């Protein structure tokens, strides 16, 4: 058993060593060289500076409104007329129905 593992390892080294390795050729990169810089353009004019405005003043607080008038008292001193005493009924009978039974 010892020899079979060693023999397999040696055989694997020889088999892999006999393989031909391919050489990878990378194409040369194309390099572009920029031309010379052109002449500088004319300098633009400077813009105008804005004027500094003053901050406006705060407005005054408005005055409080006046209290409303009290309402007028009703006619006859504000008290209603007194009602008449109830009259007794004649022979009318009022029947009150019995309440419905609870379910």
């Amino acid at each position: 058993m010892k020899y079979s593992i060693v023999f397999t390892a040696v055989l694997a080294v020889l088999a892999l060593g006999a393989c031909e390795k391919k050489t990878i050729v990378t194409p040369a990169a194309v390099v572009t060289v920029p031309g010379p810089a052109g002449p500088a353009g004319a300098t633009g004019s400077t813009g105008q500076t804005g004027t500094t405005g003053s901050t406006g003043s705060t407005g005054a607080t408005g005055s409080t409104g006046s209290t409303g008038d009290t309402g007028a008292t009703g006619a006859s001193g504000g008290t209603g007329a007194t009602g008449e005493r109830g009259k007794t009924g004649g022979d009318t009978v009022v029947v009150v129905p019995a309440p419905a039974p609870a379910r």
Side-chain angles (χ1 to χ4, degrees), residues 3-99:
Y3 295 116
S4 64
I5 294 174
V6 172
F7 180 72
T8 306
V10 170
L11 185 63
V13 169
L14 291 175
L16 292 176
C19 294
E20 181 183 337
K21 295 182 181 179
K22 293 184 180 182
T23 305
I24 300 173
V25 178
T26 306
V30 178
V31 179
T32 56
V33 179
T43 304
S45 61
T46 305
Q48 295 178 343
T49 304
T51 58
T52 305
S54 61
T55 305
S57 60
T58 305
T61 305
S63 59
T64 306
S66 59
T67 306
D69 296 332
T70 305
T73 306
S76 300
T79 306
T82 306
E84 296 178 9
R85 183 178 175 104
K87 297 180 183 177
T88 58
D91 55 354
T92 305
V93 177
V94 177
V95 179
V96 177

